[in-house]
Amino acid sequence: MSAAVKRSRKRYGHHGKRWKGSRELEVGMKGILITCNMNEKKCTAEAFNLLSEYAEELFGPEKQQENTGSSSEDEAEEEDVEVALKKEVAQLKASGAKQQRRFQAMESGANNVIFIRTQNLESDKLVHHILSDLHTTKKKKSRVILRMLPVTGTCKAFQDDMVKYLTTYLESWFKTPNCATYQIAFKARNSSHNKRDEIIKSIAELVGKLNPSNKVDLTNPELTIIVEVIKTVCCISVVKDYSRFRKYNVQEVLKEEAPKPDAAAEKTATDQPEQEEEKPTNQEENKGEEENGKNVSQENEEVKKSEEVKKSEEVKKSEEVKKSEEVKKSEEVKKSEEVNKDPKDE
């Protein structure tokens, strides 16, 4: 094998062992999308522990299919060797098909996202049960898991396919006589052929056709339509308490909520200063009277000062006027004397 072929295989990841056993997210699967921060292996381990704990609590222990075929040495000796081999192969295939585990880790097709495929259980009920318990107990049971989003339906990630699939999928929640307030949470990963605004608009039109009473509520909706696109697969679910459980974030739901002010406490808080003003103590009354007296005296002094200033200014002005008049008179006298003066005197 040439060096160029080896380099190309190494660059593009053509490793037979790695891809031979890989399992990827496909249309038709159901499960749980789990996001994390960089550490996907640890996230997968935490997810299996968390899901198994609550699934056993909610749905009971996982049932393992037993191999009912005969495997005794006496029967194998009696049968022909070739027939026994065929029978064993058939039994292995049948047992492999039956013994599908409750949870299976799959390649999601996006970084920091894992997909856990579920069998024989309702993933939306399981995730809601987990978040409800964490929200109540505030017990931290994971470190790297961020969000857990149930996937109860999948289709091809093209707008026409999504609308066609959702037309039937959303009937149980939004078709007359059913109705609810809702919002649409859309996100696309490794997919550029879908425009967010167009997808949301088409889904909103579809929900409106199912029942005109369905109304959009972006603050506290009754239901949230989750649409997660990864490459060519669209993962869909309808969930409750999306805002209450902090967008289904396992870490955020553990935080304490800010206490809401009590109406009675607000009323007493607003009434308290009014009562104090209505019923002041004697000391407060005396203080108030003293302060009022001081303020009045200060105001009187200021008024007196301003009046004195005004009077002084008026006096100055009158004096200046008098001086100016005297000056004018003296000038007029001088002029008259000069006019009446006899030239002989000169």
Side-chain angles (χ1 to χ4, degrees), residues 165-260:
Y165 182 81
L166 287 168
T167 302
T168 305
Y169 178 85
L170 296 176
E171 287 183 351
S172 59
W173 291 280
F174 298 104
K175 188 176 181 180
T176 307
N178 299 325
C179 68
T181 58
Y182 72 97
Q183 69 175 350
I184 301 169
F186 175 86
K187 186 174 182 62
R189 296 180 176 88
N190 298 339
S191 174
S192 58
H193 58 275
N194 287 313
K195 295 183 179 180
R196 181 178 181 275
D197 295 338
E198 292 182 0
I199 297 296
I200 292 176
K201 184 179 178 180
S202 62
I203 297 174
E205 291 176 354
L206 175 60
V207 175
K209 290 179 181 178
L210 292 173
N211 188 344
S213 299
N214 297 317
K215 301 297 180 182
V216 176
D217 185 355
L218 301 179
T219 56
N220 190 22
E222 295 173 348
L223 299 173
T224 298
I225 304 171
I226 297 177
V227 181
E228 292 274 338
V229 174
I230 303 179
K231 289 187 176 180
T232 60
V233 180
C234 177
C235 302
I236 303 169
S237 62
V238 177
V239 299
K240 299 177 181 179
D241 300 319
Y242 190 70
S243 300
R244 180 190 174 201
F245 293 154
R246 312 288 181 89
K247 299 181 179 181
Y248 276 41
N249 191 309
V250 174
Q251 304 301 327
E252 292 293 324
V253 81
L254 298 173
K255 297 180 180 179
E256 295 289 342
E257 295 181 357
K260 296 181 180 179

Side-chain angles (χ1 to χ4, degrees), residues 25-187:
L25 171 62
E26 297 177 356
V27 174
M29 291 183 178
K30 297 180 181 180
I32 302 168
L33 273 178
I34 301 176
T35 62
C36 61
N37 190 4
M38 301 302 291
N39 199 337
E40 294 184 15
K41 289 184 178 180
K42 189 173 182 180
C43 179
T44 304
E46 285 186 358
F48 273 109
N49 293 333
L50 192 65
L51 294 173
S52 299
E53 175 186 348
Y54 283 94
E56 187 171 349
E57 179 182 324
L58 188 62
F59 303 108
E62 184 176 5
K63 296 179 180 179
Q64 296 288 343
Q65 297 289 340
E66 295 181 357
N67 189 354
T68 58
S70 176
S71 59
S72 62
E73 295 180 359
D74 296 338
E75 292 179 354
E77 289 177 357
E78 292 177 358
E79 294 179 352
D80 185 68
V81 176
E82 187 175 354
V83 176
L85 288 173
K86 289 181 179 180
K87 186 177 180 180
E88 186 175 357
V89 170
Q91 289 175 355
L92 289 173
K93 289 182 179 179
S95 63
K98 290 179 181 179
Q99 290 183 0
Q100 291 182 343
R101 300 296 304 235
R102 178 177 277 176
F103 302 110
Q104 291 178 306
M106 314 293 288
E107 293 285 343
S108 67
N111 292 329
N112 300 325
V113 180
I114 64 173
F115 181 76
I116 304 295
R117 185 179 183 181
T118 58
Q119 296 285 347
N120 303 321
L121 59 84
E122 296 168 292
S123 59
D124 53 343
K125 289 185 178 180
L126 176 59
V127 174
H128 188 276
H129 179 66
I130 293 172
L131 292 169
S132 179
D133 184 69
L134 296 178
H135 182 269
T136 303
T137 61
K138 304 298 181 184
K139 291 182 179 180
K140 189 171 184 178
K141 297 188 176 183
S142 64
R143 292 182 178 274
V144 298
I145 294 176
L146 297 180
R147 299 176 69 199
M148 299 182 71
L149 301 174
V151 178
T152 55
T154 51
C155 64
K156 293 182 179 179
F158 298 95
Q159 187 169 346
D160 294 338
D161 296 292
M162 293 162 64
V163 172
K164 183 179 179 181
Y165 182 81
L166 287 168
T167 302
T168 305
Y169 178 85
L170 296 176
E171 287 183 351
S172 59
W173 291 280
F174 298 104
K175 188 176 181 180
T176 307
N178 299 325
C179 68
T181 58
Y182 72 97
Q183 69 175 350
I184 301 169
F186 175 86
K187 186 174 182 62

Side-chain angles (χ1 to χ4, degrees), residues 3-31:
V5 174
K6 289 183 179 179
R7 284 196 299 272
S8 64
R9 289 192 174 185
K10 186 175 182 181
R11 172 182 289 182
Y12 297 105
H14 292 282
H15 301 289
K17 291 183 179 179
R18 180 180 179 183
W19 294 101
K20 186 176 180 180
S22 64
R23 295 169 293 183
E24 295 186 356
L25 171 62
E26 297 177 356
V27 174
M29 291 183 178
K30 297 180 181 180

